[in-house]
Amino acid sequence: MDVPEIVQVARNFSVMIRVQGPDPKGLKMRKHAFHHYVSGKTTLSSSGIILPKQFGSKPMSLVMTVASIIEPFLSSRHRDHMSQVKPELIPGAQIDIMVEGNATLTDSETPHWLPAELVALVDIPASFIALQSLIGSSSGSLDHGWEVGWSLASYNDGHQPYFDTTQKEAPLSTVKSQLESVGSSLNAKWATRIAILKLSSRSFEDLPNLNTSPQNKRGDLLLAMGAPFGVLSPAHFCNSISVGYVSNCYPPSSSKASLLMADIRCLPGMEGSPVFGEQSEIVGMLTRPLRQRGSGAEVQIVIPWEAIIDSCVGFLSPNTINLKDSSKHDHGSHLIHPNPVELAMSSICLITINDGVWASGVLLNNRGLILTNAHLLEPWRFKKTAANENSHRTMSNIFFTPSNDTKDAKALTAQSKIYHQSIRARVDYLDRWIWCDAHVVYVSKGPLDIAVLKLEFVPDKLQPIVMDFTCPSPGSKVYVTGHGLFGPRCDLLPSTCVGVVAKVVKAQRAAGQGDVPAMIETTAAVHPGGSGGAVLNSDGHMISLVTSNARHGGGTVIPYLNFSIPCAALEPVFNFSKDMKDLSILEDLDRPNEHLSSVWALMPARSHGDDIKDTKGSRFAKFIAEKQLVKHASQPDKTGLGSSKLFPSKL
């Protein structure tokens, strides 16, 4: 279906929920990204899903939403004995629901508020366990740990989730670590708890059935409909849409996901939104995102519909909503085949150095040859931190750092051996993975950030990537695949983010031979850890190798502006992968190329016939092209280029 058709279906089931009540001390808006507070009363809002059925002979419609906007207004009796008593609100609190879709409210088409009653709060155990596992896998990292919540929210409620530069270096006490562990568990349960409401004054009996999705795959279309910032102006924000794609599923080895990660940009207030697939089937409910400490990166989380139904069947009587029957799927008789992008992800590897820093790689052949980035193996060339378990921070925004000083080649070789210790690669299949040791075959000393690894042990049935050497058209759809943000401890398969080719930058060949694609810019999100991943087209064929996203001179990462090396520029590597006998094939990649260097330095190169007076950009590009070794990151920058406003930022 086209997106407008999905929108028409979604509008039948999407509602906005408003909860308001007395709040004399102004405490109930804590951990919420927005609220409305007037004269001692706080109002919060979220989105929700209509379930158009009846309780026996009594007309009534049920509505599902997230519990997070209800819980601040629960009575202390219920908060203390959550599972033992019927939920009740504090005196003066009330819940209202606005419907603005195709459902007919009254003879008037003007949306208005309908009173609602809280029926139950329900935990989703499968989703809670999955979310807790993801948060727990990063609990030892201050820079890269995960927590639940919108980046726009204020979390000044007794502890500080963010730390400044000096605090990052200070050790945490045992007590604080324990408190954070408990808090992570509570946040995971809080984010996966839903509220069941009822509208006794209205029954929506004429709405279409909710079709369900049998299984979700990475790269599948998603559409969420909700009310971002709805409490501020419902008429402006109710039933807003956001379109994206399934980025990953958790757990990875299960045919029934407990949690979906969505490559979709949503705003606070959209939690509780129904999420639909490309056939207008309901996929699940949007909840609050995971956000990474320090970077502010957000990953939108969707609670799958089947996980919700499995938890709701206990309190919904058989004649209430026969959701369980509507979500049954004969998995034996309907074999769901992976889409081309999903199949290609079996060619994406997870690479670790000394069990610390991780990145991505692309499997080139069935003999275990892997293409990745040079900055993973030789970070000092790119002013990256050393490969160690406790620090993954970028030390500079400049691609190469020129200097009048050059290190002794023997010293660099010795340093290279240190950093090349304990290289491991995880080869992913559709249902399992295998960890293998690897060694370095080649690291480019030229302008392209590439390296080649070889598995020590070669598993059976490897699935090498299929390359496409044609130049992609600007605006064509692409899928960026890799292990961005989530490292090896999270046990995730590669994630995918979807965008388009923003621009193809070309560089001059030798004199008289025309231009060749040198860089591809895409709008798909690329995050740290995604280095060495593949940019795929809709056929699942690789068109370029991910190297970097962009970073503003002030330090802000721009994940939706990123750069990759076209397959056309990597043809010598793919030729070498055919028999792996002649390393001299790769020598062309080590030769100086001023035009190619200038492209990857984001600097203009000097064209033939230009004025003899050098520009800063042309001097820098020429320098990079001539240097085979560059200084270590700890040496000062002597180029005067520190004032540049935009840099390629290695991942």
Side-chain angles (χ1 to χ4, degrees), residues 44 64 81 173 226 315 318 379 417 435 456 465 473 521 606:
L44 304 174
M64 284 186 178
H81 306 87
S173 67
F315 79 91
K417 289 181 179 178
W435 281 98
E456 301 281 1
I465 198 75
S473 301
E521 300 173 14
R606 184 177 56 186

PDB file of all heavy atoms in Angstrom, residues 44 64 81 173 226 315 318 379 417 435 456 465 473 521 606:
ATOM      1  N   LEU A  44      -0.503  16.240  31.411  1.00  0.00           N
ATOM      2  CA  LEU A  44       0.410  15.480  30.559  1.00  0.00           C
ATOM      3  C   LEU A  44      -0.401  14.845  29.441  1.00  0.00           C
ATOM      4  O   LEU A  44      -1.609  14.638  29.576  1.00  0.00           O
ATOM      5  CB  LEU A  44       1.129  14.385  31.362  1.00  0.00           C
ATOM      6  CG  LEU A  44       1.915  14.825  32.599  1.00  0.00           C
ATOM      7  CD1 LEU A  44       2.430  13.603  33.352  1.00  0.00           C
ATOM      8  CD2 LEU A  44       3.078  15.731  32.208  1.00  0.00           C
ATOM      9  N   MET A  64      -5.695   1.637  24.567  1.00  0.00           N
ATOM     10  CA  MET A  64      -4.374   1.314  25.120  1.00  0.00           C
ATOM     11  C   MET A  64      -3.455   2.507  24.972  1.00  0.00           C
ATOM     12  O   MET A  64      -3.465   3.200  23.950  1.00  0.00           O
ATOM     13  CB  MET A  64      -3.761   0.125  24.385  1.00  0.00           C
ATOM     14  CG  MET A  64      -4.321  -1.223  24.749  1.00  0.00           C
ATOM     15  SD  MET A  64      -3.375  -2.540  23.923  1.00  0.00           S
ATOM     16  CE  MET A  64      -4.228  -3.982  24.582  1.00  0.00           C
ATOM     17  N   HIS A  81       1.382  -0.993  46.230  1.00  0.00           N
ATOM     18  CA  HIS A  81       0.896  -2.371  46.066  1.00  0.00           C
ATOM     19  C   HIS A  81       0.346  -2.519  44.650  1.00  0.00           C
ATOM     20  O   HIS A  81      -0.831  -2.802  44.446  1.00  0.00           O
ATOM     21  CB  HIS A  81      -0.181  -2.706  47.111  1.00  0.00           C
ATOM     22  CG  HIS A  81       0.256  -2.463  48.517  1.00  0.00           C
ATOM     23  ND1 HIS A  81       0.122  -1.240  49.131  1.00  0.00           N
ATOM     24  CD2 HIS A  81       0.843  -3.287  49.419  1.00  0.00           C
ATOM     25  CE1 HIS A  81       0.591  -1.325  50.371  1.00  0.00           C
ATOM     26  NE2 HIS A  81       1.030  -2.545  50.568  1.00  0.00           N
ATOM     27  N   SER A 173      31.142   5.443  42.819  1.00  0.00           N
ATOM     28  CA  SER A 173      31.135   4.623  44.024  1.00  0.00           C
ATOM     29  C   SER A 173      30.304   3.380  43.805  1.00  0.00           C
ATOM     30  O   SER A 173      29.474   3.302  42.908  1.00  0.00           O
ATOM     31  CB  SER A 173      30.558   5.435  45.192  1.00  0.00           C
ATOM     32  OG  SER A 173      29.188   5.693  44.950  1.00  0.00           O
ATOM     33  N   GLY A 226       0.446   9.722  15.959  1.00  0.00           N
ATOM     34  CA  GLY A 226       0.257  10.147  17.338  1.00  0.00           C
ATOM     35  C   GLY A 226       0.141  11.653  17.450  1.00  0.00           C
ATOM     36  O   GLY A 226      -0.103  12.357  16.466  1.00  0.00           O
ATOM     37  N   PHE A 315      -6.412 -10.566  31.547  1.00  0.00           N
ATOM     38  CA  PHE A 315      -7.468  -9.785  32.193  1.00  0.00           C
ATOM     39  C   PHE A 315      -8.605  -9.427  31.239  1.00  0.00           C
ATOM     40  O   PHE A 315      -9.669  -8.994  31.669  1.00  0.00           O
ATOM     41  CB  PHE A 315      -6.886  -8.497  32.812  1.00  0.00           C
ATOM     42  CG  PHE A 315      -6.634  -7.398  31.829  1.00  0.00           C
ATOM     43  CD1 PHE A 315      -7.608  -6.454  31.556  1.00  0.00           C
ATOM     44  CD2 PHE A 315      -5.417  -7.300  31.174  1.00  0.00           C
ATOM     45  CE1 PHE A 315      -7.378  -5.435  30.652  1.00  0.00           C
ATOM     46  CE2 PHE A 315      -5.185  -6.275  30.267  1.00  0.00           C
ATOM     47  CZ  PHE A 315      -6.169  -5.343  30.009  1.00  0.00           C
ATOM     48  N   PRO A 318     -12.942 -13.456  27.403  1.00  0.00           N
ATOM     49  CA  PRO A 318     -13.050 -13.933  26.021  1.00  0.00           C
ATOM     50  C   PRO A 318     -14.028 -13.132  25.175  1.00  0.00           C
ATOM     51  O   PRO A 318     -13.850 -13.015  23.969  1.00  0.00           O
ATOM     52  CB  PRO A 318     -13.529 -15.383  26.195  1.00  0.00           C
ATOM     53  CG  PRO A 318     -13.062 -15.771  27.562  1.00  0.00           C
ATOM     54  CD  PRO A 318     -13.154 -14.535  28.390  1.00  0.00           C
ATOM     55  N   PRO A 379      44.345   3.811  14.553  1.00  0.00           N
ATOM     56  CA  PRO A 379      43.623   5.036  14.947  1.00  0.00           C
ATOM     57  C   PRO A 379      44.512   6.260  15.051  1.00  0.00           C
ATOM     58  O   PRO A 379      44.026   7.380  14.892  1.00  0.00           O
ATOM     59  CB  PRO A 379      43.026   4.655  16.311  1.00  0.00           C
ATOM     60  CG  PRO A 379      43.886   3.537  16.811  1.00  0.00           C
ATOM     61  CD  PRO A 379      44.333   2.776  15.604  1.00  0.00           C
ATOM     62  N   LYS A 417      51.641  -3.252  15.357  1.00  0.00           N
ATOM     63  CA  LYS A 417      51.544  -4.601  15.900  1.00  0.00           C
ATOM     64  C   LYS A 417      50.791  -4.604  17.223  1.00  0.00           C
ATOM     65  O   LYS A 417      50.041  -5.523  17.525  1.00  0.00           O
ATOM     66  CB  LYS A 417      52.941  -5.186  16.084  1.00  0.00           C
ATOM     67  CG  LYS A 417      53.637  -5.523  14.767  1.00  0.00           C
ATOM     68  CD  LYS A 417      55.013  -6.118  15.017  1.00  0.00           C
ATOM     69  CE  LYS A 417      55.684  -6.472  13.698  1.00  0.00           C
ATOM     70  NZ  LYS A 417      57.050  -7.015  13.908  1.00  0.00           N
ATOM     71  N   TRP A 435      32.100 -16.560  16.094  1.00  0.00           N
ATOM     72  CA  TRP A 435      33.247 -15.687  16.329  1.00  0.00           C
ATOM     73  C   TRP A 435      34.511 -16.369  15.815  1.00  0.00           C
ATOM     74  O   TRP A 435      34.742 -17.550  16.070  1.00  0.00           O
ATOM     75  CB  TRP A 435      33.415 -15.380  17.808  1.00  0.00           C
ATOM     76  CG  TRP A 435      32.488 -14.319  18.326  1.00  0.00           C
ATOM     77  CD1 TRP A 435      31.314 -14.505  18.985  1.00  0.00           C
ATOM     78  CD2 TRP A 435      32.671 -12.909  18.222  1.00  0.00           C
ATOM     79  NE1 TRP A 435      30.748 -13.294  19.296  1.00  0.00           N
ATOM     80  CE2 TRP A 435      31.559 -12.293  18.847  1.00  0.00           C
ATOM     81  CE3 TRP A 435      33.663 -12.102  17.654  1.00  0.00           C
ATOM     82  CZ2 TRP A 435      31.420 -10.908  18.921  1.00  0.00           C
ATOM     83  CZ3 TRP A 435      33.523 -10.726  17.734  1.00  0.00           C
ATOM     84  CH2 TRP A 435      32.413 -10.138  18.362  1.00  0.00           C
ATOM     85  N   GLU A 456      40.990 -16.419  10.417  1.00  0.00           N
ATOM     86  CA  GLU A 456      41.894 -17.539  10.652  1.00  0.00           C
ATOM     87  C   GLU A 456      41.183 -18.869  10.401  1.00  0.00           C
ATOM     88  O   GLU A 456      41.759 -19.808   9.849  1.00  0.00           O
ATOM     89  CB  GLU A 456      42.417 -17.494  12.092  1.00  0.00           C
ATOM     90  CG  GLU A 456      43.154 -16.224  12.455  1.00  0.00           C
ATOM     91  CD  GLU A 456      44.582 -16.218  11.945  1.00  0.00           C
ATOM     92  OE1 GLU A 456      44.993 -17.191  11.285  1.00  0.00           O
ATOM     93  OE2 GLU A 456      45.296 -15.223  12.193  1.00  0.00           O
ATOM     94  N   ILE A 465      29.076 -10.500   0.150  1.00  0.00           N
ATOM     95  CA  ILE A 465      28.256  -9.412  -0.368  1.00  0.00           C
ATOM     96  C   ILE A 465      28.279  -9.422  -1.897  1.00  0.00           C
ATOM     97  O   ILE A 465      29.243  -9.889  -2.514  1.00  0.00           O
ATOM     98  CB  ILE A 465      28.775  -8.047   0.163  1.00  0.00           C
ATOM     99  CG1 ILE A 465      27.707  -6.957   0.027  1.00  0.00           C
ATOM    100  CG2 ILE A 465      30.054  -7.642  -0.549  1.00  0.00           C
ATOM    101  CD1 ILE A 465      26.605  -7.069   1.035  1.00  0.00           C
ATOM    102  N   SER A 473      22.169   6.928  -8.501  1.00  0.00           N
ATOM    103  CA  SER A 473      21.553   8.209  -8.828  1.00  0.00           C
ATOM    104  C   SER A 473      21.185   8.963  -7.558  1.00  0.00           C
ATOM    105  O   SER A 473      20.672   8.357  -6.604  1.00  0.00           O
ATOM    106  CB  SER A 473      20.285   7.992  -9.660  1.00  0.00           C
ATOM    107  OG  SER A 473      20.580   7.304 -10.850  1.00  0.00           O
ATOM    108  N   GLU A 521      27.439  10.647  -0.441  1.00  0.00           N
ATOM    109  CA  GLU A 521      26.810  11.193   0.758  1.00  0.00           C
ATOM    110  C   GLU A 521      25.379  10.652   0.830  1.00  0.00           C
ATOM    111  O   GLU A 521      24.665  10.646  -0.171  1.00  0.00           O
ATOM    112  CB  GLU A 521      26.793  12.719   0.714  1.00  0.00           C
ATOM    113  CG  GLU A 521      28.169  13.356   0.633  1.00  0.00           C
ATOM    114  CD  GLU A 521      28.090  14.857   0.408  1.00  0.00           C
ATOM    115  OE1 GLU A 521      26.990  15.426   0.576  1.00  0.00           O
ATOM    116  OE2 GLU A 521      29.122  15.450   0.038  1.00  0.00           O
ATOM    117  N   ARG A 606      43.144  22.059  -6.255  1.00  0.00           N
ATOM    118  CA  ARG A 606      43.527  23.040  -7.272  1.00  0.00           C
ATOM    119  C   ARG A 606      43.410  22.402  -8.641  1.00  0.00           C
ATOM    120  O   ARG A 606      43.999  21.355  -8.907  1.00  0.00           O
ATOM    121  CB  ARG A 606      44.956  23.518  -7.025  1.00  0.00           C
ATOM    122  CG  ARG A 606      45.403  24.605  -7.991  1.00  0.00           C
ATOM    123  CD  ARG A 606      46.782  25.093  -7.650  1.00  0.00           C
ATOM    124  NE  ARG A 606      47.730  23.995  -7.626  1.00  0.00           N
ATOM    125  CZ  ARG A 606      48.984  24.127  -7.249  1.00  0.00           C
ATOM    126  NH1 ARG A 606      49.419  25.278  -6.822  1.00  0.00           N
ATOM    127  NH2 ARG A 606      49.797  23.085  -7.259  1.00  0.00           N
TER     128      ARG A 606
END
